[in-house]
Amino acid sequence: MKRLLITGATGQIGSELTIALRRAYGEANVIAAGHRRQPDADLVQSGPYCTIDVRDADCLQEAVRRYRIDTIFHLASVLSAVAEQKPQLAWEINMGGLHKVLEAARQFGCAVFFPSSIGVFGPGTPLENTPQVTVQRPNTIYGITKLAGELLCDYYHHRFGVDIRGLRLPGLISYKTPPGGGTTDYAVEIFYGALTEGRYCCFLKGNTRLDMMYMPDAIRAVMVLMEAGGKNLIHRNAYNVTAMSFTPEELAAQIRRSIPDFTMDYDVDPVRQAIADSWPRYMDDSTARAEWGWEPHFDIVATTREMLAHLAVKLARQKEDHNVTP
Ligand code: VAH
């Protein structure tokens, strides 16, 4: 990989993946592309940035040509909860955008990273120790686009030889960007609530168990997968990967070990609860471990410690900037 394009670079994964890739491959070789959200200073000051609507094939191909791209990290997507509110837009962006990225990759000989999700599973899937290969009948538009995306990626790999690789990512926990409309957003919002108000009102039931991962583990998984030797990648579109599985109650208890007075109450969102209930409790990620050496580094204890420490610094800096700003 030498010249990288990241779509959705202003999102939760993209904003951190861009910085990590720029450190690894050189700032000038990593082109960040956003559309809806405004890029933050880090992103614009650390390397090239351009605006791309992934539904616009000409704009996408012009960027691939102009920047001599050889690898596309395609992160632009509508997340699960927003997708249920806007299913037509979700299909346009999640499927239409992916198809245009795959066409650009086919025409210009690029490799592609595709972020699939635990959302590809649904009713009928074994939700405990969910296998790499199993029943996949998602009943959310988000899950349908991610499953169709996996199949389309496999088609472009086998039919046109495009080097595409993907991960079925769990809920991702990070402190750098605010949550973007996903079902697992509670696992990020809870830390803001704990540090700013000492409390949080959770939109999922306290016993809702889901796979989760701290963002640095996700970033490392993407980079290790994209550098792995292609011949070993049998299940390339896409690998189950997870780092931990917990419930809101368990995460709250972990936070109370640092903030004893933290309290949580519940106002369950039926839409996001129904989505969460259709997703795995915990996946079997042994295939990723076997085919390209996946290994998580952060469990719930380390993630909670890291999130509270980094978010406290971020919030203090925002408060300072707010007080200083005339
Ligand atoms: C969502 N955070 O909730 C995303 C992710 C597995 C969850 O795909 O939609």
Side-chain angles (χ1 to χ4, degrees), residues 12 79-81 116-119 142 169-172 181-185 279:
Q12 184 191 24
L79 293 182
S80 57
S116 186
S117 159
I118 58 175
Y142 176 73
L169 292 167
L172 298 182
T183 300
T184 59
D185 288 356
W279 288 355

Side-chain angles (χ1 to χ4, degrees), residues 156-176:
Y156 267 73
H157 175 64
H158 293 294
R159 176 71 174 71
F160 302 114
V162 180
D163 180 3
I164 308 164
R165 307 166 186 206
L167 296 174
R168 289 175 186 154
L169 292 167
L172 298 182
I173 302 171
S174 63
Y175 60 87
K176 291 194 175 164

Side-chain angles (χ1 to χ4, degrees), residues 51-64:
T51 298
I52 293 180
D53 180 340
V54 291
R55 295 168 290 185
D56 180 343
D58 294 341
C59 173
L60 184 62
Q61 294 194 16
E62 175 49 29
V64 171

